[in-house]
Amino acid sequence: MSEFLDLETQDGIRMTWNVIPGTKQDATNCVVPVSAIYTPLKPNPSIPVLPYAPLRCRMCRSILNPFSVVDFVAKIWVCPFCFQRNHFPQHYNSISENNLPAELFPQYTTVEYKSTSETGPVAPPVFLFVVDTCMIEEEIGYLKSALAQAIELLPDQSLVGFITFGTYVQVIEELQKDPWPVPADKRPSRCTGVALSVAASLLGVCVPGSGARIMAFVGGPSTEGPGSIVSKSLSEPIRSHKDLNKGSAPLYNKAVKFYEDISKQLVNQGHVLDLFACALDQVGVAEMKVAVERTGGIVVLAESFGHSVFKDSLRRFFQSSDNDLDLSFNGIFEINCSKDVKIQGIIGPCTSLEKKSPLSSDTVVGQGNTNAWKMCGLDRKTSLCLVFDIAKKDGPDSVGVGQSASNQFYFQFLTYYQHHEGQMRLRATTLSRRWVAGSGGVQELIDGFDQEAAAAVMARLVSFKMEAEADFDPIRWLDRALISLCSKFGDYHKETPSSFSLSPRLSIFPQFMFNLRRSQFVQVSNNSPDETAYFTMMLNTENVSNAVVMIQPSLISYSFQSGPEPVLLDVTAIAADRILLLDSYFTVVIFHGITIAQWRKAGYQYQEGHESFAQLLQAPQEEADAIIKERFPVPRLVVCDQYGSQARFLLAKLNPSVSYDNPPAPGGDVIFTDDVSFQVFMDHLQRLAVH
């Protein structure tokens, strides 16, 4: 796994298959699609920033890179994508094997070009705050103080505007509660959609094409005008997953269509919609998702504007520190690749520019039918999932011109964007991956399989299909994919389950799939549509290691017997004299075993002679603080005790190897569930894979 991490550090990319199945049939047989998770602006201090314009191929417009073949005598370079011969311009005359420009250095597969041409004055960033005033005074107070802090942190040259909305929309400078009375059996009149439409049009008139963000602070559901999600009558509940599945949420499709139109307007203008949704009930994140995701906006979901999840996230949004976001604007992302590779699409925060090219696959996944995408907002952690098609047919005439000698596929990713300092930049990443065809390459495919990247891609794919395909069965789809993969790449004697084994390169993948089946991405009925939309948006914008934590949380044990150590995500990890630290990305849980909890309540940590107990309590708290400090949005922290009501945050994530029909060891715990345990899951998988 470490070599895949090294590639990610250098180029910001993780691929499911680092040796690529060479033909269409081979790729189909591999089950997990040839895909990449790419973080265009991943910070890397060793990336050179070049103060000149890039050199482009005159045929396919790809950029000069370390894989270009150079004739130093004739001053010609050959493009690895289309094999076009290109002459170097005059200012490259001095190049030789010992005098290379940075973009030809073999280690600089990612470079950045900084525009030096006179582009006029740098446009200041624009922040338009759209603020809900249909809330109780206490919530408005929390929001006021958070916004006052945020405005202090804005860059000095920023332009700032305020729109408030309740029953009416106002462009104002003062924040006060909506004055309209609300009957006891009614919801407030809240016209969220109208306010966001006004904000989008205002930016379109005032600052089209320059970096601007609408930052919406919403404290309840929209009940008035376009984009409404529920009526004003409190007797009508807000739509649930069950209502959406049955088609009994009459306002849902109209609201989604309305926000789709807003997203098109914002993408056209180059502007971003960020959403801070803070309420105990749903506010309509599920409907607004399309506008936030397609403009590359940020979403924060909390229970109150007074909650640390909101306050700390808003502060982190603007703060300059090692963990800041480096917000960038107005991006365009382009892909070029070898002619036998086609692009199905991207799952992530972007919008297809419908620039159909010979590289576009007929099969569309996510934002497809193009080789260029708009990214209105992007930051240092924005990650895209690129899904490819291998178009190469079997047979002797399938080898492309100039390709037979190399057995390499080439990929180039170009990201044009407005840097957070204001100037336009272009980041170019060029990769080469070997391909193998036929049954002789199976071991090479296994050696190049990145099971973490594959889990992250499968999670994005299953979430996308659940949203896009009617009557889609996610569990069945994941199970069939896993059985096919194990059948193809496992070692076994036919019809003998006990003989089944997987290479270490594949051995954790079934565990990822087991946890993905049980995760909030697949078991959506445990959450509201707003929560599901939030979880999916976060999954679709994060890198591989963060996605893996969302799918399969990490669990660390602290005890007197040993230092902090990772333990299996299993109910057997619970012991009376242990503290467990669970990181499930959205929530960080510190769980005290019953004995530890009793000692803590008795105050032993403050007594002389019990310093080691005080240190034991402190260690997981420090680790939790470190996790929270570097994550955005800030996760929720839950501190709980064994058998306490909040212990459910931990128990829900654990493998139920001990359940009501299989009693625990003394001091352990039991999970009351009909879910199968991982062992039962593996037994079934082995039996089905060897048939």
Side-chain angles (χ1 to χ4, degrees):
M1 203 70 81
S2 62
E3 71 270 38
F4 303 143
L5 292 170
D6 292 344
L7 291 169
E8 185 180 31
T9 302
Q10 182 178 329
D11 292 318
I13 193 151
R14 296 271 292 267
M15 294 193 77
T16 48
W17 301 98
N18 288 281
V19 174
I20 292 179
T23 67
K24 194 173 188 64
Q25 191 53 53
D26 286 330
T28 305
N29 294 346
C30 282
V31 187
V32 175
V34 175
S35 346
I37 289 194
Y38 178 54
T39 310
L41 303 189
K42 184 175 171 61
N44 179 354
S46 64
I47 291 175
V49 179
L50 310 177
Y52 49 84
L55 209 52
R56 289 183 175 275
C57 169
R58 62 195 172 95
M59 180 78 82
C60 70
R61 306 294 294 150
S62 66
I63 285 174
L64 179 66
N65 60 77
F67 304 106
S68 308
V69 177
V70 177
D71 180 338
F72 292 105
V73 178
K75 300 286 187 277
I76 282 171
W77 61 280
V78 180
C79 169
F81 296 98
C82 67
F83 312 110
Q84 171 68 37
R85 293 163 66 80
N86 297 278
H87 288 277
F88 280 104
Q90 198 69 36
H91 57 277
Y92 276 77
N93 263 353
S94 60
I95 71 163
S96 68
E97 285 181 44
N98 303 320
N99 183 26
L100 290 175
E103 63 265 42
L104 285 175
F105 276 45
Q107 70 269 36
Y108 291 151
T109 40
T110 296
V111 296
E112 194 146 308
Y113 295 91
K114 187 174 174 178
S115 171
T116 51
S117 57
E118 288 303 316
T119 52
V122 171
V126 179
F127 297 94
L128 182 52
F129 294 94
V130 179
V131 181
D132 181 354
T133 57
C134 285
M135 296 184 287
I136 58 171
E137 290 288 0
E138 186 182 22
E139 283 292 303
I140 287 186
Y142 289 143
L143 183 51
K144 263 186 180 172
S145 71
L147 290 176
Q149 278 188 343
I151 289 164
E152 289 293 312
L153 294 167
L154 287 175
D156 292 341
Q157 74 279 23
S158 306
L159 300 177
V160 180
F162 262 98
I163 288 177
T164 63
F165 67 94
T167 308
Y168 293 108
V169 176
Q170 294 173 294
V171 180
I172 56 113
E173 296 188 358
E174 189 186 351
L175 194 57
Q176 55 198 34
K177 187 177 181 327
D178 186 54
W180 294 87
V182 181
D185 60 343
K186 294 279 191 278
R187 295 184 174 93
S189 272
R190 182 182 277 109
C191 56
T192 313
V194 176
L196 293 175
S197 183
V198 168
S201 300
L202 192 61
L203 289 180
V205 170
C206 300
V207 285
S210 72
R213 306 186 84 97
I214 296 171
M215 301 184 71
F217 299 86
V218 183
S222 175
T223 56
E224 191 76 65
S228 298
I229 68 161
V230 70
S231 75
K232 292 193 195 67
S233 171
L234 280 170
S235 61
E236 183 195 320
I238 299 180
R239 80 273 169 291
S240 64
H241 278 295
K242 203 171 172 184
D243 297 327
L244 295 178
N245 293 339
K246 287 194 311 196
S248 55
L251 297 172
Y252 179 76
N253 289 330
K254 271 195 289 191
V256 170
K257 174 75 180 71
F258 171 74
Y259 284 111
E260 256 176 12
D261 292 343
I262 284 194
S263 79
K264 285 174 189 161
Q265 181 183 353
L266 289 172
V267 167
N268 197 28
Q269 294 168 189
H271 299 149
V272 185
L273 172 62
D274 299 313
L275 177 60
F276 295 83
C278 297
L280 287 168
D281 209 341
Q282 299 182 74
V283 306
V285 179
E287 287 81 355
M288 290 186 238
K289 173 179 183 280
V290 59
V292 177
E293 195 158 58
R294 291 198 191 158
T295 61
I298 275 160
V299 60
V300 174
L301 193 65
E303 291 174 358
S304 156
F305 286 111
H307 200 290
S308 62
V309 168
F310 166 71
K311 291 193 299 190
D312 295 349
S313 296
L314 185 65
R315 193 178 312 121
R316 185 88 48 85
F317 187 87
F318 293 113
Q319 219 160 24
S320 292
S321 70
D322 293 344
N323 299 315
D324 70 355
L325 293 171
D326 287 345
L327 299 172
S328 300
F329 295 94
N330 254 327
I332 288 181
F333 180 71
E334 291 184 359
I335 299 180
N336 205 346
C337 37
S338 298
K339 77 175 189 66
D340 286 320
V341 181
K342 304 245 182 284
I343 303 146
Q344 291 188 7
I346 293 181
I347 301 175
C350 63
T351 300
S352 166
L353 285 174
E354 303 291 339
K355 189 177 160 188
K356 201 153 172 58
S357 81
L359 296 173
S360 311
S361 167
D362 293 335
T363 309
V364 176
V365 172
Q367 294 290 302
N369 268 327
T370 187
N371 70 331
W373 293 261
K374 181 76 179 170
M375 299 180 74
C376 300
L378 64 166
D379 57 59
R380 66 198 298 175
K381 67 187 190 62
T382 303
S383 302
L384 303 171
C385 174
L386 326 172
V387 185
F388 299 104
D389 231 349
I390 304 303
K392 197 164 169 297
K393 299 281 192 293
D394 295 320
D397 56 344
S398 65
V399 176
V401 184
Q403 222 163 17
S404 53
S406 69
N407 262 31
Q408 298 286 331
F409 282 147
Y410 296 98
F411 302 85
Q412 189 170 73
F413 308 134
L414 304 178
T415 312
Y416 306 82
Y417 69 102
Q418 186 181 330
H419 190 263
H420 62 92
E421 290 172 4
Q423 78 276 27
M424 292 305 291
R425 291 200 181 183
L426 165 60
R427 186 175 287 204
T429 296
T430 313
L431 310 166
S432 158
R433 291 288 186 274
R434 197 162 52 84
W435 58 264
V436 294
S439 56
V442 168
Q443 191 52 49
E444 291 175 88
L445 288 172
I446 290 171
D447 291 342
F449 184 65
D450 181 343
Q451 46 197 340
E452 288 189 347
V457 167
M458 292 299 272
R460 286 204 199 196
L461 273 173
V462 80
S463 292
F464 168 72
K465 284 173 173 291
M466 286 169 73
E467 218 170 281
E469 297 176 19
D471 303 324
F472 174 72
D473 184 339
I475 299 274
R476 184 177 164 80
W477 184 80
L478 288 170
D479 287 353
R480 288 175 72 165
L482 181 59
I483 292 162
S484 302
L485 188 82
C486 291
S487 240
K488 179 170 173 62
F489 294 110
D491 291 319
Y492 54 87
H493 301 302
K494 204 141 182 59
E495 306 293 340
T496 317
S498 59
S499 67
F500 181 87
S501 69
L502 281 173
S503 149
R505 290 287 197 192
L506 290 151
S507 57
I508 313 172
F509 190 69
Q511 200 176 314
F512 287 147
M513 292 302 97
F514 171 75
N515 284 300
L516 177 56
R517 289 163 98 253
R518 302 179 73 229
S519 72
Q520 64 269 39
F521 304 116
V522 174
Q523 302 295 339
V524 296
S525 56
N526 299 333
N527 296 303
S528 68
D530 273 16
E531 287 169 318
T532 299
Y534 171 67
F535 295 142
T536 308
M537 280 193 272
M538 293 304 301
L539 172 71
N540 286 349
T541 195
E542 285 297 339
N543 64 17
V544 170
S545 53
N546 284 341
V548 165
V549 174
M550 295 179 198
I551 297 162
Q552 181 171 299
S554 69
L555 191 62
I556 299 172
S557 161
Y558 297 80
S559 68
F560 289 119
Q561 288 75 40
S562 64
E565 56 180 0
V567 287
L568 287 174
L569 194 65
D570 194 292
V571 67
T572 54
I574 294 175
D577 59 350
R578 249 186 195 178
I579 302 176
L580 295 175
L581 175 67
L582 177 90
D583 177 8
S584 67
Y585 196 82
F586 304 103
T587 311
V588 176
V589 182
I590 298 173
F591 176 94
H592 294 151
I594 191 67
T595 307
I596 299 277
Q598 286 163 350
W599 291 349
R600 188 197 71 235
K601 287 170 185 166
Y604 285 8
Q605 65 273 28
Y606 304 119
Q607 295 175 17
E608 210 173 323
H610 289 281
E611 289 78 11
S612 57
F613 179 58
Q615 285 164 0
L616 182 65
L617 286 178
Q618 188 59 28
Q621 186 64 55
E622 286 172 357
E623 178 61 27
D625 290 345
I627 291 168
I628 288 166
K629 189 176 174 189
E630 64 175 36
R631 192 164 291 166
F632 183 93
V634 171
R636 176 179 182 175
L637 177 65
V638 175
V639 182
C640 61
D641 298 339
Q642 189 176 1
Y643 310 128
S645 65
Q646 290 198 304
R648 66 183 190 280
F649 284 101
L650 173 72
L651 296 175
K653 297 292 183 185
L654 299 181
N655 170 34
S657 61
V658 181
S659 61
Y660 57 86
D661 57 352
N662 177 13
D669 218 325
V670 64
I671 294 179
F672 292 95
T673 179
D674 290 326
D675 282 1
V676 298
S677 68
F678 181 58
Q679 191 51 55
V680 172
F681 176 77
M682 281 306 289
D683 291 344
H684 281 274
L685 174 62
Q686 288 168 3
R687 209 168 57 246
L688 292 163
V690 301
H691 280 319

